[in-house]
């Protein structure tokens, strides 16, 4: 299985267009939070996110937050943007993705995950054979485990962005 089997690479989540989604048969998106919608453990939304979310909703795209973070981190964030959520999703394992797909009432062929990490968001999508959108991290994390993962990601990604 290729890492980029069905992955699109973008700079920011707000670059995803309705036309792109419709052309790929996508009717629902699972959204990572940290470094996708905001900084890691941040509360400030990326520029243009509320307008983008509103446009997706108005055009019938179903949305759900799927995060490995704890309930107490994700609940207030998801409420702030008015979306349902799955916390402690255990990405890249399939449990959180499958729960989200069921909650969305969607078929996995119509769903894509949007996230910033190759080794969680994208690998998990590939394991389930669902489409994915890899975005650049809003801000690089400072923890050593993130630095190690990001180093490997850079080697794999090379010039994808």
């Amino acid at each position: 299985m290729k890492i980029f089997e069905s992955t699109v690479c973008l700079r920011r989540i707000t670059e995803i267009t309705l036309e792109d989604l419709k052309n790929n048969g996508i009717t629902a998106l699972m959204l990572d939070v940290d470094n996708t919608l905001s900084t890691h453990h941040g509360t400030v939304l990326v520029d243009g996110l509320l307008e983008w979310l509103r446009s997706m909703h108005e055009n019938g795209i179903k949305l759900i937050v799927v995060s490995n973070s704890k309930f107490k981190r994700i609940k207030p964030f998801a409420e702030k943007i008015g979306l349902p959520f799955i916390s402690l999703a255990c990405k890249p394992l399939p449990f959180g993705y499958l729960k989200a797909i069921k909650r969305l009432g969607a078929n996995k062929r119509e769903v894509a995950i949007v996230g910033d990490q190759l080794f969680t968001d994208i690998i998990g999508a590939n394991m389930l054979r669902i489409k994915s959108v890899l975005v650049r991290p809003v801000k690089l994390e400072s923890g050593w485990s993130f630095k190690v993962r990001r180093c490997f990601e850079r080697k794999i990604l090379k010039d994808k962005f």
Side-chain angles (χ1 to χ4, degrees), residues 44-160:
V44 177
L45 305 177
V46 297
D47 290 340
L49 182 65
L50 286 178
E51 295 81 8
W52 181 85
L53 291 169
R54 189 176 310 112
S55 174
M56 292 293 142
H57 178 72
E58 288 172 356
N59 286 281
I61 302 298
K62 299 174 189 174
L63 304 168
I64 190 169
V65 169
V66 179
S67 176
N68 283 347
S69 292
K70 295 178 182 176
F71 180 88
K72 70 179 188 174
R73 154 77 174 132
I74 298 306
K75 183 179 187 290
F77 192 93
E79 287 175 345
K80 178 178 182 175
I81 59 175
L83 293 180
F85 66 95
I86 305 289
S87 59
L88 293 173
C90 298
K91 297 181 288 183
L93 299 175
F95 315 115
Y97 294 107
L98 293 171
K99 189 175 181 181
I101 291 167
K102 184 177 181 180
R103 193 173 293 173
L104 288 166
N107 182 300
K108 75 177 195 173
R109 289 184 303 259
E110 304 169 333
V111 177
I113 179 77
V114 182
D116 69 297
Q117 290 194 53
L118 185 62
F119 296 112
T120 54
D121 306 306
I122 307 310
I123 297 292
N126 281 334
M127 288 188 335
L128 278 174
R129 298 188 184 275
I130 59 175
K131 294 176 181 83
S132 54
V133 179
L134 179 67
V135 296
R136 276 193 181 167
V138 174
K139 181 180 176 187
L140 290 176
E141 308 87 351
S142 58
W144 69 271
S145 66
F146 284 107
K147 287 181 181 180
V148 169
R149 278 184 272 164
R150 296 294 186 194
C151 178
F152 285 115
E153 284 180 354
R154 279 192 301 277
K155 289 177 193 261
I156 294 168
L157 292 171
K158 296 179 185 157
D159 298 321
K160 295 290 182 194

